[in-house]
C-alpha cells in the first residue's frame, strides 16, 4: 500500500509551517516535505515533527531574486558564491529539523557554461550533504521556460558523471507526464537513480484524480518496483486542502 508525503509548499498554505505539519498528520499523511521553509523557526518546526512523528523528507535551496524571474542559482555563471551560500543554508536548516534531502535548484539560464557551473556546485553540495541526500529535478518547459535542467536524460547524465551515491533524481510524475510521455516506463528505466517521487494530475497540477495520467496504474507500477519511501503529493488543491483529499482513500 502506498504511503504519502504532504508537500507543504502547496498544501495548507494558509497555515504557518508548524501548524501545517499538524494538519498533515491529522489528515493521515505519512511524511511531509516543503519548498522554502526559511521564514519558520527551525526549532518550532522540529518540535512539530517530533510531536507528529512525521519525517521531513526534503526542502529546496532558495530561488534567488524571484521578482527578477530567478528560480534557483546553482547553474548560473558568476553566482557561485550565492549558490553555495544557499546550499549551506539549506543543509543547515535540514540538519536543524532532521530533513532527509535538499533539492538543489539549477535556475533559469542558457549560458554555454551552465552545465559546468551546475556540476561544480553539485559536487560541493554532495560533499556538504554528509549522510543527507542531494536531489535534482527536471522541470517542464511549459511551467518553467528556460530552466536549465529540463529533461530526464540530462539529469541522468549529470548524476552518472558526478557518480556520488547521495546524488539522486527527484522524479516528479507531473513534470515527466507533461513533457516526456510514458511515466511508468521512465520510472522503471531510472529507478536506480531516483531518490524521491512526487505527483500531481496532468496537465492541471491538481489532485491526482482525473487528468490524463492514471495514478492507479502509476502507483501500482511503483509498488511492483519495490519502492518503499512515501510519495510526495505536490499538487495545487484549488481550494481548502481537506476538500481535495478524497484521492488518498481511493488510490490506497
Amino acid at each position: 500500500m502506498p504511503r504519502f508525503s504532504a508537500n507543504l509548499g502547496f498544501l495548507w498554505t494558509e497555515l504557518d509551517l508548524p501548524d501545517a505539519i499538524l494538519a498533515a498528520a491529522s489528515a493521515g499523511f505519512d511524511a511531509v516535505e516543503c519548498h522554502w521553509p526559511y521564514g519558520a523557526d527551525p526549532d518550532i518546526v522540529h518540535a512539530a515533527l517530533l510531536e507528529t512523528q512525521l519525517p521531513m523528507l526534503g526542502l529546496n535551496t532558495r530561488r534567488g531574486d524571484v521578482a527578477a524571474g530567478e528560480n534557483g542559482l546553482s547553474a548560473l555563471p558568476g553566482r557561485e558564491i550565492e549558490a553555495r551560500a544557499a546550499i549551506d543554508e539549506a543543509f543547515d536548516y535540514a540538519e536543524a529539523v532532521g530533513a532527509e534531502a535538499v533539492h538543489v535548484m539549477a535556475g533559469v539560464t542558457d549560458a554555454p557554461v551552465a552545465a559546468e557551473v551546475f556540476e561544480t556546485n553539485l559536487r560541493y553540495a554532495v560533499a556538504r550533504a554528509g549522510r543527507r541526500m542531494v536531489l535534482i529535478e527536471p522541470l517542464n518547459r511549459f511551467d518553467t521556460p528556460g530552466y536549465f535542467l529540463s529533461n530526464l536524460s540530462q539529469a541522468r547524465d549529470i548524476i552518472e558523471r558526478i557518480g556520488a551515491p547521495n546524488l539522486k533524481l527527484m522524479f516528479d510524475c507531473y513534470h515527466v507526464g507533461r513533457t516526456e510521455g510514458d511515466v511508468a516506463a521512465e520510472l522503471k528505466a531510472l529507478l536506480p537513480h531516483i531518490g524521491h517521487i512526487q505527483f500531481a494530475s496532468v496537465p492541471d497540477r491538481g489532485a491526482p484524480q482525473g487528468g490524463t495520467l492514471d495514478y492507479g496504474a502509476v502507483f501500482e507500477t511503483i509498488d511492483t518496483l519495490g519502492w518503499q519511501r512515501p510519495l510526495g503529493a505536490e499538487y495545487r488543491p484549488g481550494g481548502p486542502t481537506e476538500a481535495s483529499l478524497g484521492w488518498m482513500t481511493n488510490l490506497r
Side-chain angles (χ1 to χ4, degrees):
M1 183 173 73
R3 296 183 299 140
F4 298 114
S5 169
N7 190 300
L8 302 177
F10 286 163
L11 305 181
W12 289 289
T13 55
E14 74 279 8
L15 302 177
D16 61 23
L17 184 54
D19 287 338
I21 292 168
L22 298 179
S26 295
F29 280 95
D30 305 289
V32 293
E33 56 200 69
C34 56
H35 289 161
W36 303 282
Y38 304 106
D41 185 324
D43 291 337
I44 299 175
V45 171
H46 190 227
L49 294 169
L50 291 176
E51 178 180 344
T52 58
Q53 291 296 292
L54 294 183
M56 173 74 80
L57 298 188
L59 52 94
N60 297 346
T61 55
R62 286 191 190 266
R63 290 175 285 182
D65 186 347
V66 178
E70 291 185 343
N71 197 24
L73 300 170
S74 288
L76 276 56
R79 305 290 293 279
E80 289 86 351
I81 292 174
E82 293 166 83
R84 294 188 183 191
I87 290 167
D88 287 339
E89 176 190 39
F91 278 107
D92 286 345
Y93 199 99
E95 289 158 12
V97 302
E100 298 175 8
V102 167
H103 168 208
V104 175
M105 298 195 69
V108 176
T109 179
D110 60 358
V113 295
E116 179 182 347
V117 171
F118 189 41
E119 291 183 29
T120 299
N121 284 326
L122 287 175
R123 291 180 190 278
Y124 176 85
V126 297
R128 175 66 177 79
R131 63 183 178 82
R132 290 183 163 82
M133 189 170 16
V134 176
L135 296 171
I136 59 173
E137 178 184 19
L139 305 183
N140 79 76
R141 63 182 180 272
F142 303 108
D143 294 351
T144 54
Y147 193 76
F148 170 73
L149 188 61
S150 61
N151 62 76
L152 292 171
S153 62
Q154 182 188 13
R156 182 199 60 224
D157 290 348
I158 290 168
I159 290 168
E160 291 179 348
R161 275 197 299 273
I162 292 176
N166 61 338
L167 177 61
K168 295 290 185 178
L169 171 68
M170 181 128 74
F171 187 106
D172 189 325
C173 299
Y174 165 74
H175 287 295
V176 175
R178 286 282 273 154
T179 59
E180 302 199 47
D182 191 335
V183 170
E186 296 289 2
L187 282 164
K188 293 174 185 175
L190 290 165
L191 183 65
H193 294 312
I194 296 173
H196 186 44
I197 299 172
Q198 295 176 324
F199 61 90
S201 69
V202 178
D204 65 356
R205 208 170 194 179
Q209 47 201 7
T212 59
L213 189 55
D214 177 1
Y215 273 105
V218 170
F219 292 162
E220 184 176 351
T221 295
I222 292 169
D223 187 55
T224 62
L225 293 173
W227 186 262
Q228 299 294 318
R229 291 169 58 81
L231 309 174
E234 192 187 36
Y235 68 88
R236 301 184 188 277
T241 298
E242 287 84 358
S244 74
L245 296 177
W247 62 269
M248 288 183 70
T249 300
N250 297 335
L251 291 172
R252 272 184 168 141

